[in-house]
Amino acid sequence: MSIKRRILGPIVLLIVIGIVGAFWVSLAAIRTQNAIQDADTTTMRTLQATERAQRIRVEIEDQLSQFLEFNTVETPARVNRNHQRFVTAFRNVWQELRAAPGSEKQIEMVAQVEEQFEAWNTEATIALGLLNDTHIPSHNRLDHLARRLELALVALEQEVRLSAANANQDARQRYVQQVVVVFISMIVIFLVAGSTFIGFGSQLVRSLTQLAAAMERIRSGDFDTPVSYVDRRDEVGKIARGVAAFSYTLRDLSAAKTRIEHLALHDQLTNLPNRRALQEYLEHCFDLAPSSEHRVAVLHVDLDRFKQINDLMGHAAGDEILRHAARAMQQQIGADDLTARVGGDEFVIVLRQAGTDAQVECIANRIIEAVSQPIEIWGDFVHVGASVGIAFLMAGETDPARILSNADIALYVAKSKGRGRASFYNDATRARFEGNMALLKDLRCGLDNGEITAFFQPQVDGITGEVIGFEALARWRHPERGMLDPGVFITLAFEHGLGDRLTERIVSDAIAALLEWRARGLPAPSVSVNFSAKQLRDGGLVEYLDDTLFAAALEPEDIAIEVLESVLFSDGVDPALNTIEQLQKRGYKIELDDFGTGHASISNLRRFKVDGIKLDKDFVAGVDQDAEQEVILRTMIDLCRNLGIVCLAEGVETEAEKNKLISLGCSRFQGYGVARPMPQDAVTEWLETQYGRHTTAKAG
């Protein structure tokens, strides 16, 4: 049964009982009033009949007295007729009195009055001579009988009045009794119904209280709170099922909220905290007072060669590498430390209790070693490296961006030193970094304003003296600092995404120079241009060179591509090797720069065919005075000759070095002993001075 029915049912029942009780009391009152009125009416008739009897008695008595006292002479028939009239009237009264309701005593008294009347009437009849009898009653006798009759009538009247009063009292008592019975009955019914209602209400309150307590616990986060009454079919059951559903919903929402908060603060790929979580963690670390024993260190970790593998093997392989790096870092730090992924292949580690510089450096080296462990991806073992920048949280530091910037500067220094190492931040490091950033800003302006141009260093045949080519070298004429060495800005440009613009400018100047020199009839076989490994891994390099040379009406053999030996040292899956192969198929010459300074040179030459190599100046300088160096250089030259590779010596400065190189079998020179790097106009003048004008546009 529903709560509505259980609440309204007793109320309706009590209302009905109240109405019935009121109707019952009203009906009893009406009946009592009617009974009283009926009793009063009967009493009134009885009293009236008694009064008539008294009057009749008096009239008869008067008539008798007159007859006896004056001895009135009347005919017996008339006396008899008058007497019978009174007797009949009197008897009619008795019939009326006998018919009237009353008590038993009243009935007995009516009979007694009738008996007294008959006795008096008999004596009166004898006295009137209407009945023959030898004994004639005296006047006193008749008066005595009359007094007895009168007293009987008076007693009857009193009894009638008393009976009427008793009847009224009985009616009222019955009415009171009925009212009391109805009242008690209603009280009992109300008590029973009220007790039932109170019991139900108590149960309902208890049920709702339990449900409210359950909701409060659920609101407090205890979503596994058991909910009672879910099996009930009434409104409490509906509420209980609603509370249970509310608990399930809140549990799901809480779980969703937890997941959202986790996603908002964690990287989805590695499940490491993200940059936002890192900033909150650092702000918490600010509350720790730094000391010599308790320092907070921030390590900025960047993966080496990640983009190369990601571009070659796809993002799935890159994701595996990132997960591998995350696991490796996590294994090297403590439970209170934090590892966060803040970029594509960038991570930040916060050491809560860093210890000394040596201890932090040891942890950084362990991280580099762990990350550098080979990882197997689809049957191939892939190697990545890591560079680490280290900064310490200083006293009074309140800006997370500042400490992260310090670690980033230290990472920049670590990369500039050759990657795969750790570097600490200090004020001098920031000064150098800020200086580089200022120089980078000037570099962007310099590229826009044409301050960076190509200088050309001639390459000649030491035997014939003919020009065999030029190497295009970037030079920057800074408006304030003057001419800057390439080592100052070349690496900076490639590290910050300006390498392509710089190379495009050098290629453009090289093409313009070739066109001018050939138009003047000067010897200009080709120009060598240096390309970085990153540019060689760009799939659009081949198309760019083809389009540029086609627009200038030049051929691929007019541009030689210089690459560092480290490009060939990479594994066979390096996309740079594929680009070099495509360039060779199109007719571009590939020259290996700084040969001998890299790793496993012979293995590189055996695995990958190049058109020419350039012997590094470290092997050339002083070769005429060092026998061991001469042996090494002879071996390298013989190797190139046996492999059919053109050999050119860099850094040639003296005639003795030239002669020694020629004797060893290398006659192609480049260096200050031939000519310094010069701008295009100076090269034009130098060519005209050395060789004059030629009729052919292209020398071989």
Side-chain angles (χ1 to χ4, degrees), residues 14-66:
L14 293 178
I15 292 174
V16 171
I17 291 173
I19 293 174
V20 171
F23 177 76
W24 188 359
V25 171
S26 300
L27 182 60
I30 293 173
R31 288 178 177 176
T32 301
Q33 184 66 28
N34 291 336
I36 292 173
Q37 289 179 356
D38 292 342
D40 290 343
T41 301
T42 302
T43 302
M44 185 63 65
R45 288 199 301 268
T46 303
L47 292 176
Q48 289 175 354
T50 304
E51 290 176 358
R52 287 199 304 272
Q54 287 282 18
R55 289 194 302 270
I56 294 171
R57 180 193 61 78
V58 172
E59 290 179 0
I60 294 174
E61 187 177 359
D62 290 342
Q63 182 181 2
L64 181 60
S65 297
Q66 290 176 5

Side-chain angles (χ1 to χ4, degrees), residues 333-352:
I333 63 175
D336 295 334
D337 301 330
L338 176 76
T339 301
R341 183 187 177 199
V342 297
D345 60 340
E346 296 184 37
F347 300 83
V348 171
I349 298 174
V350 181
L351 304 178
R352 291 283 296 272

Side-chain angles (χ1 to χ4, degrees), residues 323-505:
R323 283 190 283 265
H324 156 74
R327 290 191 298 268
M329 295 178 197
Q330 287 285 85
Q331 293 171 358
Q332 304 303 319
I333 63 175
D336 295 334
D337 301 330
L338 176 76
T339 301
R341 183 187 177 199
V342 297
D345 60 340
E346 296 184 37
F347 300 83
V348 171
I349 298 174
V350 181
L351 304 178
R352 291 283 296 272
Q353 296 183 352
T356 64
D357 290 2
Q359 291 173 329
V360 175
E361 185 175 13
C362 180
I363 294 175
N365 290 332
R366 290 206 313 265
I367 291 173
I368 294 173
E369 182 180 358
V371 172
S372 301
Q373 293 299 315
I375 174 175
E376 185 177 1
I377 300 178
W378 305 323
D380 294 330
F381 285 94
V382 180
H383 298 262
V384 292
S387 300
V388 181
I390 307 170
F392 290 98
L393 183 64
M394 301 302 178
E397 187 68 68
T398 59
D399 185 8
R402 177 75 179 183
I403 185 68
L404 292 175
S405 174
N406 294 344
D408 187 52
I409 292 173
L411 175 64
Y412 174 80
V413 174
K415 287 185 174 182
S416 65
K417 291 181 179 180
R419 302 178 184 272
R421 64 186 65 200
S423 178
F424 287 90
Y425 168 83
N426 54 48
D427 293 339
T429 302
R430 175 171 283 278
R432 288 195 302 272
F433 177 78
E434 292 177 349
N436 286 338
M437 292 303 99
L439 185 64
L440 179 63
K441 180 180 178 181
D442 293 344
L443 180 59
R444 289 191 175 94
C445 295
L447 288 170
D448 294 336
N449 299 332
E451 298 171 4
I452 298 175
T453 58
F455 275 40
F456 302 92
Q457 188 171 26
Q459 300 169 342
V460 300
D461 188 321
I463 298 176
T464 64
E466 294 182 354
V467 175
I468 58 176
F470 297 90
E471 180 179 2
L473 303 171
R475 293 294 185 268
W476 181 11
R477 190 177 300 278
H478 194 279
E480 297 177 357
R481 300 170 59 179
M483 187 67 69
L484 297 182
D485 186 85
V488 175
F489 65 91
I490 293 294
T491 302
L492 187 68
F494 278 94
E495 286 180 348
H496 292 85
L498 299 178
D500 290 344
R501 290 186 60 189
L502 181 62
T503 301
E504 289 174 3
R505 181 58 188 268

Side-chain angles (χ1 to χ4, degrees), residues 501-514:
R501 290 186 60 189
L502 181 62
T503 301
E504 289 174 3
R505 181 58 188 268
I506 300 306
V507 170
S508 177
D509 287 353
I511 290 175
L514 278 177

Side-chain angles (χ1 to χ4, degrees), residues 517-523 691-699:
W517 296 332
R518 290 178 180 179
R520 290 174 175 268
L522 298 175
Y691 303 100
R693 294 183 180 271
H694 291 253
T695 57
T696 60
K698 186 175 180 179

Side-chain angles (χ1 to χ4, degrees), residues 232-371:
R232 288 177 58 166
R233 298 293 93 190
D234 55 5
E235 288 79 357
V236 172
K238 293 181 180 179
I239 295 174
R241 289 188 290 274
V243 172
F246 178 68
S247 174
Y248 301 148
T249 301
L250 281 184
R251 181 171 58 192
D252 294 341
L253 289 176
S254 178
K257 180 180 178 232
T258 301
R259 288 194 298 271
I260 291 172
E261 290 177 348
H262 181 82
L263 292 175
L265 296 175
H266 290 77
D267 172 58
Q268 296 186 34
L269 177 63
T270 62
N271 202 35
L272 294 177
N274 58 15
R275 184 179 293 275
R276 176 183 169 187
L278 172 64
Q279 291 179 342
E280 294 179 358
Y281 187 82
L282 287 175
E283 290 174 355
H284 175 68
C285 291
F286 292 154
D287 298 333
L288 300 175
S291 63
S292 58
E293 295 81 12
H294 182 83
R295 297 197 298 173
V296 177
V298 177
L299 283 64
H300 194 163
V301 183
D302 183 77
L303 301 185
D304 299 333
R305 300 181 67 244
F306 171 75
K307 187 177 186 305
Q308 172 185 346
I309 298 174
N310 193 60
D311 292 342
L312 178 65
M313 302 184 67
H315 294 292
D319 292 344
E320 287 296 325
I321 292 174
L322 291 173
R323 283 190 283 265
H324 156 74
R327 290 191 298 268
M329 295 178 197
Q330 287 285 85
Q331 293 171 358
Q332 304 303 319
I333 63 175
D336 295 334
D337 301 330
L338 176 76
T339 301
R341 183 187 177 199
V342 297
D345 60 340
E346 296 184 37
F347 300 83
V348 171
I349 298 174
V350 181
L351 304 178
R352 291 283 296 272
Q353 296 183 352
T356 64
D357 290 2
Q359 291 173 329
V360 175
E361 185 175 13
C362 180
I363 294 175
N365 290 332
R366 290 206 313 265
I367 291 173
I368 294 173
E369 182 180 358
V371 172

